[in-house]
């Protein structure tokens, strides 16, 4: 089944403890992206990648890192999480970009930083 | 700022009723996508509209792209409780690679 898999689904962590949210897609998509979704603010892009080893900042990149060493994986790294990073996170992929093809989204990771 | 404004913001209707959701912008879009998001899940792509004036049907859902490609609508006929969710339009204004999401319409269909 074509899908984007994120792990974990739920995570509660403490301020400052480094964490990684994994994302993997099995559709050979070139374009991958991370979003966070907050009430009243909608979906905001954190980082995106147009292909292996090509990443760029989205609208809200502060406090996050990403890497794209393989086509299928696009992990999101929070080096020192803070409470304002409590949010619902989505990984998404697209064949060559969402502009014409739209996205396939993962099921989400609900992160709570205390 | 390029925006996709959706209306209404919230909608609560009885099963069997019809409804229309709107997505408007002052910018021209080369294409627009519509997604539905259920609580706690990721958005799911429903359709892409590309040509001005285009109409696409997906069972009881009818999507239309405005002639000037600045707006779109989603009409649901005989709504069912399974249609409950957040509906999002999205796209990149022509000449840009900035993909933006609409403000969303939260639909609740009551049995």
């Amino acid at each position: 089944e074509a899908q984007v898999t994120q792990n974990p689904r739920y995570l509660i962590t403490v301020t400052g403890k480094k964490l990684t949210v994994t994302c993997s897609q099995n559709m050979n998509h070139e374009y991958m992206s991370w979003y966070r979704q907050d009430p009243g603010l909608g979906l905001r892009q954190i980082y995106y990648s147009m292909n292996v080893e090509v990443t760029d900042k989205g609208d809200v990149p502060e406090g996050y890192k990403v890497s794209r060493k393989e086509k299928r994986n696009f992990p999101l790294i929070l080096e020192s999480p803070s409470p304002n990073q409590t949010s619902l996170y989505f990984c998404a992929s697209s064949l060559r970009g969402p502009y014409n093809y739209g996205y396939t989204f993962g099921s989400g990771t609900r992160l709570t930083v205390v | 700022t390029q925006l996709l404004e959706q209306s209404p913001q919230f909608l609560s209707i009885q099963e069997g009723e019809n409804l229309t959701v709107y997505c408007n912008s002052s910018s021209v879009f080369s294409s627009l996508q519509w997604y539905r998001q259920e609580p706690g899940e990721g958005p799911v792509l429903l359709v892409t509209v590309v040509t001005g004036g285009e109409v696409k049907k997906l069972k009881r859902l009818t999507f239309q792209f405005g002639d000037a490609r600045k707006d779109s609508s989603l009409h649901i006929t005989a709504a069912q409780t399974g249609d409950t969710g957040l509906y999002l339009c999205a796209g990149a204004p022509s000449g840009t690679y900035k993909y933006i999401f609409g403000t969303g319409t939260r639909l609740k269909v009551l049995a």
Side-chain angles (χ1 to χ4, degrees), chain A residues 6-106:
Chain A
Q6 286 179 239
N7 280 298
R9 284 297 306 269
Y10 301 92
L11 179 59
I12 301 175
T13 190
V14 296
T15 299
K17 186 176 181 183
K18 180 179 178 179
L19 67 92
T20 299
V21 184
T22 64
C23 174
S24 180
Q25 50 93 5
N26 63 358
M27 296 166 282
N28 203 37
H29 283 175
E30 292 180 356
Y31 190 104
M32 296 185 75
S33 188
W34 276 102
Y35 286 87
R36 61 179 289 175
Q37 187 175 37
D38 302 288
L41 296 175
L43 282 160
R44 294 181 292 168
Q45 191 179 45
I46 302 170
Y47 268 96
Y48 64 95
S49 169
M50 298 182 76
N51 215 323
V52 176
E53 302 291 3
V54 181
T55 63
D56 208 346
K57 296 176 181 178
D59 297 315
V60 288
E62 294 77 22
Y64 304 95
K65 283 175 59 177
V66 293
S67 67
R68 187 94 181 272
K69 294 186 172 63
E70 311 161 275
K71 200 171 192 178
R72 61 184 296 125
N73 295 323
F74 190 44
L76 179 69
I77 303 155
L78 284 72
E79 295 267 2
S80 184
S82 62
N84 65 11
Q85 293 178 298
T86 292
S87 186
L88 181 57
Y89 290 87
F90 290 104
C91 180
S93 74
S94 181
L95 183 60
R96 289 190 191 88
Y99 332 103
N100 296 318
Y101 304 100
Y103 277 122
T104 300
F105 279 87

Side-chain angles (χ1 to χ4, degrees), chain B residues 1-5 23-32 50 52 65-72 89-100:
Chain B
T1 304
Q2 294 157 328
L3 290 175
L4 278 169
E5 300 272 3
C23 172
N24 293 293
S25 178
S26 57
S27 301
V28 175
F29 286 75
S30 52
S31 67
L32 276 177
V50 179
F65 202 11
D67 291 341
R69 294 184 289 130
K70 292 184 176 182
D71 55 87
S72 182
C89 60
S94 294
T96 79
Y97 288 102
K98 183 62 181 172
Y99 193 76
I100 58 175

Side-chain angles (χ1 to χ4, degrees), chain B residues 13-88:
Chain B
I13 62 170
Q14 292 294 132
E15 204 168 26
E17 291 184 4
N18 301 332
L19 66 115
T20 302
V21 172
Y22 300 92
C23 172
N24 293 293
S25 178
S26 57
S27 301
V28 175
F29 286 75
S30 52
S31 67
L32 276 177
Q33 282 85 32
W34 282 91
Y35 298 82
R36 178 170 63 218
Q37 182 180 17
E38 297 184 18
E41 296 294 328
V44 174
L45 180 65
L46 297 174
V47 78
T48 295
V49 286
V50 179
T51 308
E54 180 178 8
V55 176
K56 278 193 174 177
K57 292 195 175 187
L58 190 67
K59 297 183 183 176
R60 295 173 295 99
L61 278 60
T62 301
F63 303 86
Q64 185 160 10
F65 202 11
D67 291 341
R69 294 184 289 130
K70 292 184 176 182
D71 55 87
S72 182
S73 63
L74 158 59
H75 181 79
I76 301 180
T77 304
Q80 300 176 356
T81 54
D83 296 326
T84 291
L86 176 67
Y87 288 81
L88 296 163

